[in-house]
Amino acid sequence: MNLILFGPPGAGKGTQADILIKKYNIVQISTGDMLREEVKLGTQLGKAAKSIMEKGNLVSDQIIISMIKKRIIKPDCKNGFILDGFPRTLQQAIDLDNILGKLNIYIDKVIEISVDEDILLKRITKRALESKITRDDDNSKILNNRIVVYKKDTLPVLKYYKNLNKLYSIDGMQSVERVSKDIQKILTWL
Ligand code: ADP
C-alpha cells in the first residue's frame, strides 16, 4: 500500500500517518521531518534548508527529490509507505512518478485532508504554544506564508492526482478518530 497524505499545514497529516503506519505496518516518509533532522545534524543540506524553512518557503525540488530517491529504495519501504508533505509541487509529483515507475512501484491513493483556513491558523498557534519542541515556522506570520505557498505551489498537485483518478478527499475538521475512520474506509476499497 503506497499512499500520499495531502493537506495544508496543520491539517493533521502527521497524526493520521502515525495511526496508519501502526495499523498497516507501513512506513511514514515525511520530507519535513527529514529536513528538520538534517538541520539538527548540521549537515550541508540542513544548512541550505534552514533559512528557507524558517521563512515558510519551499526547499528546492532538486534537494527534495534527491532525498526521496535515497529514502524510497530502503528495504523498509517494501511493504508500503505514506508520503507526508511530499510531493508539494507539480514538478515533484512528476519526478516522483518517474522514480517510482523505474522501480515498478505505484501510488495507490492520494488522500486529501481538507480543513478551512481559520481553523488551520487556530490549530497551529495552539501547537506552537503547547509543543515542547518549538518549530521556528509555527508562528502566525510564517504560517500565513506557508498557506500562501500551499495555495500557489501545492494545490496544483491535487489536480494532477485528480486527473489520474487517485484523489480522495475527506473532511479534516472532524475528530481525529472520525478522520481516521474515513481514511480507513477509503483504504479498504484498495
Ligand atoms: P507542515 O506539514 O506543517 O506544513 P512540514 O513539516 O511538512 O510542514 O514542512 C516544513 C517545511 O519544510 C516547509 O515549510 C518547507 O520549507 C520544507 N519542506 C517540507 N517538505 C517539502 C517539500 N516536499 N518540498 C519543499 N519544501 C519542503
Side-chain angles (χ1 to χ4, degrees), residues 7-10 13 30-33 35-36 49 52-54 56-61 64 84-89 92 124 127 135 137-138 146:
K13 301 185 292 285
S30 158
T31 44
D33 285 349
L35 289 169
R36 278 186 288 277
I52 301 170
M53 293 170 75
E54 278 170 358
N57 291 326
L58 292 183
V59 172
S60 77
D61 289 340
I64 298 291
D84 161 7
F86 171 87
R88 241 179 171 96
T89 65
Q92 289 179 14
I124 300 222
R127 172 164 93 188
R135 274 177 55 176
D137 58 354
D138 268 359
R146 280 158 71 200

Side-chain angles (χ1 to χ4, degrees), residues 8-160:
K13 301 185 292 285
T15 306
Q16 294 301 330
D18 275 348
I19 299 173
L20 294 170
I21 56 173
K22 286 181 198 118
K23 183 150 176 102
Y24 297 100
N25 191 29
I26 53 183
V27 292
Q28 174 192 12
I29 301 178
S30 158
T31 44
D33 285 349
M34 289 165 82
L35 289 169
R36 278 186 288 277
E37 187 60 26
E38 298 282 344
V39 172
K40 210 171 81 188
L41 294 173
T43 64
Q44 211 175 351
L45 195 161
K47 281 180 190 141
K50 190 172 189 288
S51 62
I52 301 170
M53 293 170 75
E54 278 170 358
K55 292 190 192 94
N57 291 326
L58 292 183
V59 172
S60 77
D61 289 340
Q62 201 196 341
I63 288 183
I64 298 291
I65 288 296
S66 76
M67 250 172 36
I68 285 287
K69 250 188 190 158
K70 283 185 220 147
R71 182 67 189 90
I72 219 104
I73 53 170
K74 294 215 169 130
D76 64 346
C77 292
K78 280 246 152 48
N79 200 34
F81 52 78
I82 303 175
L83 297 173
D84 161 7
F86 171 87
R88 241 179 171 96
T89 65
L90 207 49
Q91 190 58 51
Q92 289 179 14
I94 294 165
D95 289 348
L96 174 67
D97 272 353
N98 283 328
I99 295 168
L100 294 182
K102 284 184 194 135
L103 299 168
N104 259 318
I105 308 173
Y106 297 91
I107 295 295
D108 297 300
K109 289 185 175 172
V110 178
I111 297 166
E112 179 202 12
I113 306 178
S114 63
V115 176
D116 292 344
E117 208 170 307
D118 52 331
I119 297 186
L120 293 177
L121 279 162
K122 275 188 206 139
R123 283 189 186 175
I124 300 222
T125 317
K126 195 164 162 252
R127 172 164 93 188
L129 285 173
E130 289 171 356
S131 173
K132 285 187 204 92
I133 320 149
T134 38
R135 274 177 55 176
D136 293 328
D137 58 354
D138 268 359
N139 68 59
S140 60
K141 194 170 142 250
I142 304 298
L143 176 62
N144 278 323
N145 185 44
R146 280 158 71 200
I147 292 176
V148 169
V149 171
Y150 175 78
K151 285 184 186 157
K152 181 172 150 280
D153 296 323
T154 308
L155 274 183
V157 178
L158 272 189
K159 215 166 162 190
Y160 178 83

